[in-house]
Amino acid sequence: MAREMPPDARLYSVEFAEANAAIARRIWDHAGVTDRITAVVGSIGDGGGTLDTLETAHGFTSGALDFLFVDHDKAAYLPDLKHILERRWLHKGSVVVADNVRVPGAPAYRAYMREMEGTGWRTVEHKTHVEYQTLIPDLVLESEYLGP
Ligand SMILES: C[S@@+](CC[C@H](N)C(=O)[O-])C[C@H]1O[C@@H](n2cnc3c(N)ncnc32)[C@H](O)[C@@H]1O
């Protein structure tokens, strides 16, 4: 992602396990992209603390998010997306990509995107496989935000 994004873009990874954040930082250092990525230790669903930190310490403002990748607790996909929508960080044309929507599965998130198709969101369901093999089918959802 860091290599593909525009030169003035910045990538933030929200990770609640400090040890995992430390590993991620070492990988980014090895890849030479440390200056463009920040790990924020916390969780979007922690009651507002991490959301507030993203606003006050990292400049998240209305319409500032072009792209969001969700690949954490599958049950948190939809509530976390709704928290982000409440903060109005997405803009018309922002893209949200969600991994593992079939396995382990994020049925509430998928149902929401289907229900909102053409009104709040336009979604393409990409057929793929669970990582590291080609036997178990999975889905990646790519959703364009159509605006509030
Ligand atoms: C599947 S891994 C992410 C892999 C990464 N996207 C990649 O492709 O290399 C999921 C990570 O999300 C973290 N995580 C799980 N639930 C979370 C939550 N509710 N808030 C923040 N981080 C969470 C886990 O600690 C784990 O490091």
Side-chain angles (χ1 to χ4, degrees), residues 96 98 117 122-127 139-144:
V96 179
E117 179 65 22
R122 189 171 299 119
T123 295
V124 178
E125 296 197 344
H126 297 276
K127 288 184 181 170
L139 279 174
V140 169
L141 264 54
E142 177 188 355
S143 304
E144 180 187 346

Side-chain angles (χ1 to χ4, degrees), residues 69-83:
F69 179 54
V70 285
D71 184 25
H72 57 317
D73 173 7
K74 310 311 162 193
Y77 280 18
L78 183 57
D80 284 3
L81 178 66
K82 288 186 173 175
H83 289 311

Side-chain angles (χ1 to χ4, degrees), residues 14-17 20 42-43 69 71-73:
V14 178
E15 166 61 62
F16 66 12
N20 290 359
S43 176
F69 179 54
D71 184 25
H72 57 317
D73 173 7

Side-chain angles (χ1 to χ4, degrees), residues 15 21 35-37 64 74 78-79 88 92 106 115 139 146:
E15 166 61 62
D35 57 329
R36 312 187 61 202
I37 313 182
K74 310 311 162 193
L78 183 57
R88 300 185 178 275
K92 189 173 183 299
E115 187 188 319
L139 279 174
L146 304 180

